[in-house]
């Protein structure tokens, strides 16, 4: 006799234990990936941005050192000449001494001396045949402080390029202030340092003033176009074209906080570095 099965009797849909175990292992294997994805989306990029910014600061310090050393060198030469002028020696004229200063370094395009009130006394260099602009802020600063002055890089219409004004007091042996000595220094030496750093370290480094305006860049049109960073602080910032970038920023102390060296990377670098760092873990899990 054949046994009749009622449609109401339960049908056995039991899943083999081996398949259940397999499913469990497959689900468990996904957990590390989910955790990594969560960390990647929230915490890891934030920490990686800070690390990348600090690395940018380390790279920027390379150029900071070049700028600091050369700035101190220029000012030291100017002070030596100013002391000789202040001593009142008749053996060499003031114009001859200033001419010697200009010839000391090809980065020095011109030099001039003013009296205490800022009236031009002597001018030597590329601007001699042109109308010379005495840097009023340099005169005022040196007159008040009797110490060094350094301007932010500014476009010099006479030279047709970015230039920096450095000034020192001219003092007599009795410390009486009799004038100021100004030198106009081009920025080609800074640009050369930027290019070397970018090529060697494969980064994008440039220089801004204290307000974020680009003053030295491999792509000169960015300077002429007046491009600027909205923020001159290390971290995640808006780039020159509005894109999100990671920046490492350092000040140049000799410039009184008026110059920043900025090293940047695109934000994608963080994600690439995080993935590369996690690759050994992923390989082990798989």
């Amino acid at each position: 006799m054949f046994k009749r099965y009622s449609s109401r009797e339960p049908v056995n849909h039991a899943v083999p234990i081996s398949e259940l175990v397999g499913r469990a292992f497959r689900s468990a294997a996904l957990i590390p990936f989910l955790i990594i994805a969560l960390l990647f989306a929230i915490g890891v990029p934030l920490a990686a941005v800070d690390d990348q910014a600090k690395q940018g600061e380390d790279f920027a310090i390379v150029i900071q050192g070049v700028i600091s050393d050369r700035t101190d060198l220029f000012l030291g030469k100017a002070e030596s000449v100013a002391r000789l002028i202040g001593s009142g020696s008749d053996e060499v004229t003031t114009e001859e001494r200033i001419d010697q200063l200009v010839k000391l370094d090809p980065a020095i395009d011109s030099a001039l001396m003013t009296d205490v009130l800022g009236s031009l006394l002597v001018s030597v260099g590329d601007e001699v045949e042109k109308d010379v602009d005495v840097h009023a802020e340099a005169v005022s600063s040196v007159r008040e402080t009797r110490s060094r002055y350094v301007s932010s890089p500014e476009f010099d219409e006479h030279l047709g390029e970015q230039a920096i004004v450095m000034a020192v007091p001219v003092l007599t042996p009795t410390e009486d202030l009799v004038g100021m000595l100004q030198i106009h220094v081009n920025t080609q030496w800074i640009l050369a340092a930027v290019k070397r750093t970018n090529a060697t370290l494969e980064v994008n480094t440039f220089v801004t003033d204290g307000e974020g305006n680009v003053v030295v860049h491999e792509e000169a049109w960015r300077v002429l176009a007046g491009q600027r960073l909205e923020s001159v602080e290390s971290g995640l910032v808006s780039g020159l074209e509005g894109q999100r970038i990671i920046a490492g920023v350092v000040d140049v102390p000799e410039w009184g906080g008026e110059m920043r060296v900025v090293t940047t990377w695109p934000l994608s670098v963080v994600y690439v570095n995080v993935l590369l760092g996690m690759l050994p873990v992923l390989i082990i899990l798989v």
Side-chain angles (χ1 to χ4, degrees):
M1 297 291 293
F2 292 102
K3 186 177 179 181
R4 299 174 64 88
Y5 286 92
S6 168
S7 60
R8 294 182 180 179
E9 292 181 8
V11 179
N12 185 8
H13 293 291
V15 179
I17 294 178
S18 60
E19 185 174 343
L20 290 173
V21 172
R23 290 180 182 178
F25 272 108
R26 286 193 293 272
S27 298
L30 290 175
I31 293 176
F33 290 96
L34 293 175
I35 294 174
I36 290 173
L38 183 61
L39 291 173
F40 188 75
I42 302 176
V44 173
L46 295 178
V49 165
D50 290 339
D51 291 341
Q52 200 73 38
K54 289 177 182 176
Q55 185 178 4
E57 291 175 358
D58 292 338
F59 290 167
I61 287 173
V62 175
I63 297 179
Q64 178 200 51
V66 173
I67 295 175
S68 296
D69 291 345
R70 287 292 296 275
T71 298
D72 188 63
L73 180 63
F74 290 134
L75 289 167
K77 290 178 177 180
E79 286 172 335
S80 295
V81 172
R83 280 194 296 270
L84 291 173
I85 294 174
S87 68
S89 172
D90 295 329
E91 296 179 2
V92 182
T93 66
T94 297
E95 185 171 354
E96 288 174 332
R97 293 197 185 282
I98 295 177
D99 183 61
Q100 292 171 359
L101 174 62
V102 172
K103 293 177 180 177
L104 283 175
D105 196 301
I108 302 176
D109 288 314
S110 63
L112 58 87
M113 179 178 172
T114 71
D115 62 17
V116 177
L117 298 178
S119 298
L120 180 64
L121 299 177
V122 180
S123 177
V124 176
D126 291 347
E127 297 181 349
V128 172
E129 302 300 326
K130 306 171 185 178
D131 294 330
V132 179
D133 291 327
V134 175
H135 200 281
E137 185 177 329
V139 171
S140 175
S141 176
V142 173
R143 184 170 57 232
E144 292 178 6
T145 65
R146 295 194 173 201
S147 61
R148 296 174 167 185
Y149 169 86
V150 181
S151 75
S152 296
E154 302 169 353
F155 185 78
D156 190 311
E157 295 181 356
H158 301 308
L159 299 176
E161 61 180 348
Q162 294 289 108
I164 304 158
V165 175
M166 302 183 188
V168 297
V170 177
L171 302 171
T172 67
T174 57
E175 297 297 310
D176 293 323
L177 180 67
V178 294
M180 299 89 176
L181 182 61
Q182 295 183 13
I183 57 175
H184 291 221
V185 182
N186 64 50
T187 58
Q188 292 304 310
W189 54 282
I190 301 178
L191 181 60
V194 166
K195 288 181 176 180
R196 284 196 303 271
T197 300
N198 287 346
T200 303
L201 302 177
E202 298 182 351
V203 294
N204 180 28
T205 301
F206 51 92
V207 181
T208 74
D209 62 16
E211 297 180 354
N213 299 299
V214 179
V215 294
V216 178
H217 198 291
E218 278 197 81
E219 298 174 326
W221 67 268
R222 296 186 183 277
V223 178
L224 298 175
Q227 288 197 335
R228 67 186 300 271
L229 286 177
E230 292 183 4
S231 172
V232 281
E233 296 181 356
S234 295
L236 190 60
V237 300
S238 294
L240 296 176
E241 297 174 353
Q243 77 281 26
R244 301 296 282 172
I245 61 171
I246 305 162
V249 183
V250 296
D251 294 340
V252 181
E254 287 75 9
W255 295 62
E258 293 303 319
M259 178 180 274
R260 310 278 195 277
V261 181
V262 184
T263 299
T264 70
W265 287 272
L267 185 57
S268 58
V269 169
V270 167
Y271 293 97
V272 171
N273 290 341
V274 171
L275 283 174
L276 290 176
M278 290 183 172
L279 189 59
V281 178
L282 294 175
I283 292 174
I284 292 174
L285 291 175
V286 172

